[in-house]
Amino acid sequence: MQSGKMTISQAAKREWPAKLTKVLCLLVIPGMLIGLVTSLHFMDYFRDGLLQSFSGAPVQQEEHDIHVHMLGSREYQSFHHKMPDDELLWRASMVPQRPGKIPIPRTPKVAFMFLTVGPLPLAPLWERFFHGHQKLFNIYVHSLPAFEPDEAPSSVFFGRHIPSQEAKWGDISMCDAERRLLANALLDYDNERFVLLSETCAPLWNFTFSYNYLIKSHYSFVGVFDDPGPFGRGRYNERMLPEVTLQQWRKGAQWFEVNRELAIYIISDMKYYPKFQEFCRPACYVDEHYIPTMMYIEFAAQLANRSLTAVDWSRGGSHPGIYGHHDAQQYLNRIRGDQGCMYNSEPGHICFLFARKFAPNSLGPLLQHSSF
Ligand SMILES: *[C@@H]1O[C@H](CO)[C@@H](O)[C@H](O)[C@H]1NC(C)=O
Ligand SMILES: *[C@@H]1O[C@H](CO)[C@@H](O)[C@H](O)[C@H]1NC(C)=O
């Protein structure tokens, strides 16, 4: 029997045979037989009632949801939560304390986090990249709140948009969006590596290669460098002391890749965040400094000190090169040919897994010349 809460009217019905029994037994001797039969019925009712109260109160829906969030369960696949950021970050920051192997069957996954304005023009390329590997990744998309996604239910992006808020370039709201993506992805314990991408990013290699490259890496891929010029140290503000000194100030690309430990640190941080929020405003671009500087101070030895996402600054100016229909293939070949990188302390490896920036009209050539 399913446990359920007894309503008042049900309880009243169940009491009735007991009263009936008493009346019958006391009043009429010939009615003794009937009394006996009714008493047996009463015993049945009593037993059912007792069983019911021992089988536990019905689980409240709210409690169940909290339980699922806290475990970061794989059941928690939809993002219909309306948690404010502080609650989301708090829940996502929980770390198991019991040492040893995780005692549940589990395949480590890569969380692909897309920070976008709206549509994903290169979605068909990504669909092809992800095809057949459903058990090894999760997708999270943060777009501007006004954007209404219209992916087909068969798409890997369907239902993967997280509750989003306005995010502006160069503003702390951009870091908030990144933390929102990380926190949603952290709720799923299967996610081990966390890649931040934009709608102009394209994958360079097949999924299997990329997955192994990430999962087996001893380092996290955060671009971190010390730029002595006006666009590096020149953006440092002394009021960040004592948390951040000039010597610790770093610059790096926004498009990071981190493991679980670093991801949890980023969403939990309350030490550096207020300093950057207050003292890194344009012409200090917080998305280029906050995470690189914090990661450098706290986790230098765990960083690869390079980004996995190639970008072309060779054309000069303050914006990177954008590749379209005519030059996407050339750019792709150039990036794929670059093998001058260290990987797990060994030289001569592939440097980049992704590249940007590709215009929407590069989709045709990208599909035609992709390596997967
Ligand atoms: C994936 O790419 C790697 C490296 O380019 C290659 O060695 C491998 O054969 C590819 N696997 C598949 C299934 O295409
Ligand atoms: C990255 O730089 C830090 C020092 O800033 C160093 O400790 C670390 O080993 C470097 N990472 C790699 C992979 O060389």
Side-chain angles (χ1 to χ4, degrees):
M1 189 177 183
Q2 283 290 310
S3 70
K5 234 178 198 165
M6 239 202 278
T7 64
I8 291 173
S9 67
Q10 277 170 339
K13 273 184 208 154
R14 281 167 198 198
E15 257 178 45
W16 168 236
K19 286 181 181 152
L20 183 69
T21 309
K22 278 184 197 155
V23 171
L24 289 176
C25 290
L26 283 174
L27 282 183
V28 198
I29 304 247
M32 269 180 73
L33 193 61
I34 306 166
L36 183 66
V37 170
T38 320
S39 292
L40 288 173
H41 273 278
F42 167 70
M43 287 304 288
D44 279 351
Y45 279 112
F46 177 71
R47 199 189 59 222
D48 280 357
L50 201 69
L51 274 180
Q52 199 155 37
S53 62
F54 275 119
S55 66
V59 177
Q60 297 287 309
Q61 189 58 38
E62 252 176 12
E63 268 172 27
H64 178 69
D65 283 348
I66 289 169
H67 183 64
V68 169
H69 289 156
M70 287 181 91
L71 289 178
S73 159
R74 70 193 68 212
E75 292 158 43
Y76 188 65
Q77 290 293 326
S78 65
F79 310 110
H80 299 303
H81 68 75
K82 294 194 173 60
M83 285 189 266
D85 279 356
D86 55 354
E87 181 184 348
L88 173 68
L89 300 186
W90 175 76
R91 285 190 195 287
S93 70
M94 305 214 177
V95 179
Q97 293 298 307
R98 194 177 160 91
K101 267 184 69 181
I102 300 176
I104 47 176
R106 167 179 181 279
T107 310
K109 292 184 184 178
V110 176
F112 290 85
M113 310 180 299
F114 290 86
L115 182 56
T116 73
V117 174
L120 288 152
L122 304 182
L125 183 70
W126 285 103
E127 298 274 359
R128 193 198 274 182
F129 172 79
F130 287 123
H131 185 76
H133 304 286
Q134 268 71 8
K135 293 198 169 109
L136 300 176
F137 70 87
N138 281 309
I139 291 173
Y140 302 85
V141 187
H142 186 292
S143 45
L144 293 185
F147 175 71
E148 286 177 23
D150 61 349
E151 282 97 16
S154 58
S155 164
V156 290
F157 295 101
F158 182 76
R160 305 307 298 176
H161 288 255
I162 66 163
S164 303
Q165 286 177 37
E166 206 75 35
K168 288 198 215 108
W169 298 107
D171 189 73
I172 196 79
S173 59
M174 192 57 72
C175 302
D176 294 339
E178 293 170 8
R179 302 219 292 183
R180 218 170 280 129
L181 277 163
L182 281 172
N184 275 282
L186 280 166
L187 291 177
D188 188 333
Y189 272 10
D190 288 345
N191 291 328
E192 273 298 330
R193 310 289 306 209
F194 302 79
V195 190
L196 184 69
L197 297 157
S198 84
E199 66 267 66
T200 68
C201 290
L204 298 174
W205 311 99
N206 64 41
F207 183 88
T208 308
F209 178 82
S210 309
Y211 174 85
N212 286 327
Y213 194 104
L214 294 172
I215 293 284
K216 293 180 181 171
S217 173
H218 304 160
Y219 299 95
S220 286
F221 297 92
V222 184
V224 171
F225 59 96
D226 182 9
D227 173 357
F231 306 119
R233 288 196 179 206
R235 294 173 177 173
Y236 174 75
N237 184 334
E238 274 185 0
R239 295 168 80 185
M240 290 203 178
L241 289 169
E243 283 80 5
V244 184
T245 66
L246 178 64
Q247 288 68 36
Q248 292 170 325
W249 182 251
R250 288 296 181 277
K251 185 174 176 175
Q254 179 184 9
W255 312 102
F256 60 74
E257 189 282 334
V258 289
N259 67 15
R260 214 179 158 84
E261 182 189 359
L262 272 55
I264 289 172
Y265 190 93
I266 292 170
I267 61 128
S268 305
D269 170 50
M270 292 179 83
K271 177 177 170 189
Y272 301 101
Y273 182 94
K275 288 281 171 144
F276 281 82
Q277 181 179 31
E278 195 164 350
F279 303 119
C280 180
R281 295 185 176 174
C284 177
Y285 296 97
V286 69
D287 49 78
E288 294 179 2
H289 297 281
Y290 169 48
I291 290 176
T293 301
M294 176 169 70
M295 292 293 100
Y296 170 75
I297 297 173
E298 299 290 338
F299 297 100
Q302 292 195 48
L303 304 180
N305 304 315
R306 63 184 177 92
S307 169
L308 281 180
T309 304
V311 64
D312 182 14
W313 290 103
S314 69
R315 294 177 175 187
S318 58
H319 293 284
I322 299 179
Y323 291 87
H325 190 78
H326 298 294
D327 45 14
Q329 188 200 346
Q330 209 185 347
Y331 178 52
L332 209 61
N333 290 342
R334 180 150 59 87
I335 302 295
R336 283 211 204 107
D338 187 353
Q339 310 224 328
C341 285
M342 300 285 282
Y343 176 77
N344 286 346
S345 312
E346 284 177 20
H349 279 267
I350 282 166
C351 301
F352 300 109
L353 296 186
F354 315 101
R356 60 192 276 269
K357 301 170 89 165
F358 289 103
N361 71 0
S362 65
L363 180 63
L366 287 178
L367 283 171
Q368 203 181 336
H369 300 288
S370 84
S371 66
F372 45 86

